[in-house]
Amino acid sequence: MMRPSPMAARAASGCSTAAVAFFRLRPLGRAARPAPAPAPARRFAFSGTAACRGRLVDSVLQELRSRRPVRVSARIGLQGTKELSDSKIDKKTLRKGLLLEFVKDSERSLLAVVERPDGKKNWVVTDQNGILSSIKPQQVTYVVPGTIDFDCSRIAEFLEKAQDLLDPTILECAWMELSEKDKSVTVEEFADIVYGSKESLESYCAHFLLSRDIVYFVKVDNRGSSTYQPRPSAQVDELIRRKLSKEAADKELEEFVDLLKSAKALPLDSKPSKNSWLMEEKVKQKIESLQAYAVDACNDAQRRMAGNILKALGFSRTSSAALKLLINVGYFPVHVNLDLFRYDVQTTYSEEVLSVAEELLADCPDSDKHIRKDLSNLRVYAIDVDEADELDDALSATRLPDGRIKVWIHVADPTCFLQPRSIIDREAMHRGTSIFLPTATYPMFPERLAMNAMSLQQGIDCRSVSVSVTLHPDGSIAEYAIANSVIKPTYMLTYEGATELLYMNLEEEEDLRILQEAASIRAQWRCSQGSIDTSMIEPRIKVANPDDPEPNINLYVEDQTNPAMQLVTEMMILCGEAVAAFGADNNIPLPYRGHPQSSTAVSAFAYLPEGPARSVANISVLRAAEMDFRKPVAHGVLGVPGYVQFSSPIRRYVDLLAHYQVKAFLRGESPPYSAGDLEGMTFIATMHVKVARRLHSNSLRYWLLEYLRRQPKGRKYKALILRFMKDRMATLLLLDVGIQVTTMVAAGKVGDGATVVVEMVHPRDDILSVTEIPEDTE
């Protein structure tokens, strides 16, 4: 770095030391690249009168002129020829032997000597690094005056001599003098003012200082000539402020990049926690900019910040590079679910909501206590997946003396804790649903409220809303009733456990067998009403320790034709039909769901084997679903005259709305919501439900691909042909995994089996490629 000149030392008390920092002097070594200056001091204010300031400037400039008794130009052998204009360079201006400055690229300007023409417009030059280049006239930024037949081997000496003259304090001192006179100057005039000479070296140094200055002078082009005009004082102050701000930001960026490099180098178990990156505001802003960039959800400021960080680290400015960096520094786990950030999913609750929830838990209010029916004597079966956290429905059944079956669908009663439009209710509406992912569950209500007070629990008196239905022998509804109740669940069963009990056909579990019989005749009745079979093989994954690089993946493939699953499905449809009938009979606004019959007859796909292949064909011709909030609409897919989702008020907000309406009627009150209110709130909740479904679908697929990635190479998978897309390109269902994939098949038709092997799988990029194994090579 250049040593301060004696003049600069004397100028420090008057010309701001910030001039050094703001100028960001470019050293003129072989690379001529920028180098950081020492940390700038605070910009000092000038004191005294304008006359004192003028005398100080005069003394500084006089010393600069007097400190060189011998012209540097003469010392290095330059000829004193007439100067050349730097404002308009053309073919005639350039000639062999001239020394010039040209733009090499966006970051560098180099000195070079002209060698010879290159075509009609270009010139071949030898630059300060000894490299031959062909340049256009537009690249030339300055032709050094007085340089004829300049030897390119002497450029280094020229640059070394120039270093002694490039004192950045000159700019501020000259600006003070010239701004007082409101005088513009050419490069050569500036050289004469500050150096007392217009010769080659002095003129080049003046050009160098002025052309790189962004604070004190502005270049003005006028009719083929260029001058430099002093900026107004207010503008200089603002530019200095901006420069200081930029330097501070650059320093912060450098420190943050160093922090990233340090964290990246640490072993996995020693990397800083995510919270440690969020403690300091400046660090938090930068790491969150990278996060937003990684999930393609950043604003312009975050995009610029993340791009600068990635560039400083030598990475490409892509979302995948940002993601990889965040994983490598330990901010994200390897298997981070980016959708949680893309869709801004609320995974926690505010202190206000949690506080209100705790008050509800402490008070346990029950606005319907005086009208609850005691059904605790019934044998009650709650059947769900084994990892269910929110249990919101259970079943009972008995055979009446006349031989008919009576069933009860008991539904958890969260509205006994809540008031419509309360804080907890509004929070649930804006979530719309509980979110179930392979790695975690994010409940619609605060966890302690949802999974303890609201949920049904084995062997404990639980508040519920019980829908009782007596069936005709053909499976249609003969009678129904809805009542607030108290139940005591007898069994908490998984689907597998309930199926096993059904197969065992135990005498003491007669009620369970009655439930199965009811489900069977209901399925037959719905089929007679035109219901459409859409049952599929559904995968279910539970991931333990998801933040580990290699977490445990537990895969379950559920067949919806499983007896216990069919039993529960039929009873929930029955519940929805009964609630719709109750709403219609009592003129209650409810979220009624419907589905028009398809124009394609169900029998059109009878040739396909029962199961996934036929279900996919049936689903492909379905028409759009409908909703009405005043009266039931026929549900052609389910084969029922009306339907209201009612059985999951802890995990679905629209179900909760139906509970508010029905329970108000049971108390003899007017429904809290009109049909218009219901429509608006259902629309809001449904938007969040769509996001939750997308989250679930994307996360499930990611972990299915991760499961496949870990399987032994060459493992064979049984598959089922679901449909053909074009020629022999088919969609297959891997039966052991429950995932769909597209590939070419050599033979077979829809519904036939095939065997495939996985060729390539990349979970993060959602890539799965399989190849069919022909029968003769199996």
Side-chain angles (χ1 to χ4, degrees), residues 296-307:
D296 296 318
C298 55
N299 56 38
D300 290 342
Q302 289 173 324
R303 184 177 292 105
R304 285 193 299 271
M305 175 60 69

Side-chain angles (χ1 to χ4, degrees), residues 285-286 288-311 316-319 322:
Q285 289 178 357
K286 292 177 178 59
E288 288 183 343
S289 293
L290 281 172
Q291 173 181 300
Y293 196 83
V295 300
D296 296 318
C298 55
N299 56 38
D300 290 342
Q302 289 173 324
R303 184 177 292 105
R304 285 193 299 271
M305 175 60 69
N308 290 337
I309 293 169
L310 293 170
K311 181 181 178 182
S316 60
R317 298 185 186 186
T318 61
S319 57

Side-chain angles (χ1 to χ4, degrees), residues 486-562:
V486 175
I487 63 169
K488 183 179 290 186
T490 312
Y491 295 108
M492 294 292 187
L493 300 172
T494 64
Y495 289 114
E496 293 79 9
T499 298
E500 186 176 349
L501 275 180
L502 288 171
Y503 285 146
M504 291 171 68
N505 197 25
L506 298 175
E507 184 177 344
E508 57 268 29
E509 299 303 334
E510 180 183 1
D511 291 356
L512 187 60
R513 293 201 307 274
I514 294 174
L515 279 169
Q516 185 182 30
E517 182 182 342
S520 178
I521 62 173
R522 277 291 298 173
Q524 294 173 22
W525 180 81
R526 290 195 307 109
C527 184
S528 70
Q529 302 301 305
S531 67
I532 298 174
D533 181 17
T534 59
S535 58
M536 288 287 292
I537 291 176
E538 296 288 346
R540 183 164 51 88
I541 277 184
K542 197 68 177 176
V543 180
N545 54 305
D547 288 346
D548 287 356
E550 292 287 326
N552 296 324
I553 301 176
N554 299 306
L555 172 64
Y556 311 89
V557 180
E558 296 176 342
D559 186 350
Q560 291 184 336
T561 61
N562 170 286

Side-chain angles (χ1 to χ4, degrees), residues 3-18:
R3 293 188 300 275
S5 67
M7 185 280 298
R10 281 184 52 188
S13 62
C15 293
S16 167
T17 55

Side-chain angles (χ1 to χ4, degrees), residues 279-291:
M279 295 174 64
E280 186 180 344
E281 186 61 29
K282 292 178 181 178
V283 173
K284 179 182 177 182
Q285 289 178 357
K286 292 177 178 59
I287 202 77
E288 288 183 343
S289 293
L290 281 172
Q291 173 181 300

Side-chain angles (χ1 to χ4, degrees), residues 304-340:
R304 285 193 299 271
M305 175 60 69
N308 290 337
I309 293 169
L310 293 170
K311 181 181 178 182
L313 287 164
F315 297 157
S316 60
R317 298 185 186 186
T318 61
S319 57
S320 58
L323 173 61
K324 185 176 180 180
L325 173 61
L326 291 171
I327 291 174
N328 287 340
V329 301
Y331 181 79
F332 277 160
V334 173
H335 299 287
V336 60
N337 187 344
L338 296 180
D339 283 345
L340 293 174

Side-chain angles (χ1 to χ4, degrees), residues 433-448:
T433 180
S434 296
I435 298 175
F436 300 97
L437 304 179
T439 53
T441 296
Y442 302 107
M444 185 173 72
F445 293 107
E447 185 172 329
R448 275 173 40 82

